[in-house]
Amino acid sequence: MRTIAVINQKGGVGKTTTTTNLAHALVLNQHRVTVIDLDPQGHLSNSLGVNNLAQPGLDSVLLKGAPIEECAISVRPGLSLVPAGPELGNLESASLKSPKRATLLRDAMQDCFTDQDYVLIDCPPASGLLVVNALFSTHETLIPVSGDYLSLQGLSYLIGTFKKFGQLGHKIQEWFVMTRIHSRRRLPAQVMQTLKQYFPDRVLATRIREVAALAECPGVGKTIFEYQQKSHGASDYHALALDLAGRRTL
Ligand SMILES: Nc1ncnc2c1ncn2[C@@H]1O[C@H](COP(=O)(O)OP(=O)(O)OP(=O)(O)O)[C@@H](O)[C@H]1O
Ligand SMILES: [Mg+2]
């Protein structure tokens, strides 16, 4: 089982879009997948057609100790979701005194999801306690990088955080995926080139293009494979699933 946190503190780079559509692409390639919505915004849940406010989810796991597998709901054949739940945003203040606050998710996931091939965690655009919980739960991260001017800023902070985890004995491997690519612009190619200079072998070959259908999907609670199977969005996420599946992990 591979647990992968989809992470970048920069907002709007395509974390949730990637988690949703990569998960469904993996399922269509016969993998069993669980996705965890670690963002109090609940966008991952919404993207899969689930009303995040309707039932408890990860909030009751992290705040009240509910068993995480009992909070997973089947959203498609082969695909399960642990929704964020309405109270997840309270975690940062509620658990400040607990010495185990940084490993709540890791402890909750212990010996769980053993029949799954992939667990993908959709992180919020932040670097606080929720994200620290994601990092302690995994040794593998997928970092969507949009090809705009400011997209490289902040990555050094993120990689510095991974190094600090490594010094604590918790290694974290990163994969970068270029997202929201406008193919006629030169900037994304320059950003990708810079990334490759700093992180050779860590930049996935697949690039996710900016296509209107991907932006329309969350509004109807469908993945790109349900909404527009023949779009560039579907073929890009299908390619990403194959790309990632072929990469060696730690
Ligand atoms: N490849 C794409 N083509 C078109 N629109 C996209 C693409 N990727 C993401 N979007 C749109 O851009 C917006 C931000 O995407 P998304 O929510 O996936 O980013 P995020 O990193 O999860 O954001 P946040 O930091 O708020 O969690 C959404 O409206 C989404 O539909
Ligand atoms: Mg998101």
Side-chain angles (χ1 to χ4, degrees), residues 3 13 26 35 43 46 48 57 69 77 98 108-109 128 130 132 152 157 162 172 213 215 240:
T3 303
V13 294
L26 289 165
V35 288
H43 288 171
N46 299 151
L48 288 164
E69 282 178 321
S98 160
M109 287 172 67
L130 284 165
V132 168
L152 293 172
Y157 173 81
F162 293 0
I172 297 172
L240 180 64

Side-chain angles (χ1 to χ4, degrees), residues 209-228:
R209 284 166 282 189
E210 177 89 9
V211 292
L214 277 169
E216 289 160 13
C217 282
V220 288
K222 290 183 175 177
T223 73
I224 193 67
F225 301 97
E226 298 158 335
Y227 184 67
Q228 235 178 72

Side-chain angles (χ1 to χ4, degrees), residues 35-58:
V35 288
I36 297 177
D37 194 349
L38 192 63
D39 187 347
Q41 296 179 108
H43 288 171
L44 176 65
S45 312
N46 299 151
S47 299
L48 288 164
V50 171
N51 177 0
N52 184 51
L53 303 176
Q55 70 262 296
L58 198 61

